[in-house]
């Protein structure tokens, strides 16, 4: 893609949605940033078939995988997963009646993940067009 303005926005979102989920996912095992189980709503705790700590470990694994996928060739697909994941987190927080500021932040982050998915789609199509155009050009002697 030749438009540097779009490229810079794409890369800023890609790095953010790649690195932050990896860091947050790894922290689910250490709780250095926060005790993550405190964010689970009472409803979620009742419905879980595993302990809150085990659930957070599973969530951490998913977050690390999504972060890595964003940083690889699966950016668009992983950004959609991140978008849905963030909406689910916000819904969990809203159902608890606590951490409403974090729920709003996560909804805004979901919009950012949506924007990354759409930018990745446009970027992938532009690259495919450029590749096809280059392949159709006659070879120079």
């Amino acid at each position: 893609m030749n438009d540097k303005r779009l490229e810079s926005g794409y890369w800023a979102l890609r790095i953010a949605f790649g690195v932050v989920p990896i860091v947050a996912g790894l922290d689910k095992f250490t709780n250095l940033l926060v005790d993550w189980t405190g964010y689970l709503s009472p409803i979620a705790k009742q419905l879980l078939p595993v302990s809150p700590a085990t659930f957070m470990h599973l969530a951490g694994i998913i977050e690390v995988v999504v972060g890595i996928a964003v940083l690889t060739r699966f950016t668009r697909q992983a950004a959609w997963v991140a978008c849905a994941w963030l909406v689910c987190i916000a819904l969990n927080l809203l159902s608890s009646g606590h951490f409403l500021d974090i729920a709003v932040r996560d909804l805004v982050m979901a919009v950012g993940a949506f924007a990354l998915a759409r930018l990745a789609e446009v970027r992938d199509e532009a690259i495919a067009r450029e590749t096809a155009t280059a392949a159709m050009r006659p070879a120079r002697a």
Side-chain angles (χ1 to χ4, degrees), residues 3-41:
D3 193 326
K4 297 298 180 196
R5 297 167 300 171
L6 290 175
E7 272 295 296
S8 63
Y10 167 81
W11 277 102
L13 289 170
R14 187 174 183 192
I15 291 168
F17 283 100
V19 174
V20 172
I22 292 170
V23 171
L26 291 174
D27 194 58
K28 300 290 191 294
F29 294 91
T30 62
N31 291 318
L32 293 174
L33 297 173
V34 69
D35 176 11
W36 293 97
T37 59
Y39 289 121
L40 279 174
S41 75

Side-chain angles (χ1 to χ4, degrees), residues 1-87:
M1 190 160 59
N2 291 332
D3 193 326
K4 297 298 180 196
R5 297 167 300 171
L6 290 175
E7 272 295 296
S8 63
Y10 167 81
W11 277 102
L13 289 170
R14 187 174 183 192
I15 291 168
F17 283 100
V19 174
V20 172
I22 292 170
V23 171
L26 291 174
D27 194 58
K28 300 290 191 294
F29 294 91
T30 62
N31 291 318
L32 293 174
L33 297 173
V34 69
D35 176 11
W36 293 97
T37 59
Y39 289 121
L40 279 174
S41 75
I43 296 168
K45 287 179 182 177
Q46 288 178 342
L47 295 175
L48 288 176
V50 296
S51 72
T54 299
F55 176 79
M56 284 301 168
H57 292 156
L58 294 170
I61 291 168
I62 292 167
E63 289 171 351
V64 168
V65 169
V66 168
I68 291 169
V70 165
L71 295 172
T72 65
R73 65 185 185 109
F74 301 104
T75 302
R76 180 173 35 141
Q77 297 86 346
W80 285 118
V81 173
C83 179
W85 187 261
L86 287 159
V87 169

Side-chain angles (χ1 to χ4, degrees), residues 109-133:
M109 288 173 48
V111 172
F114 169 82
L116 175 60
R118 296 296 296 186
L119 281 171
E121 180 182 347
V122 170
R123 185 176 187 273
D124 291 348
E125 290 171 0
I127 290 170
R129 260 192 321 277
E130 290 169 7
T131 302
T133 302

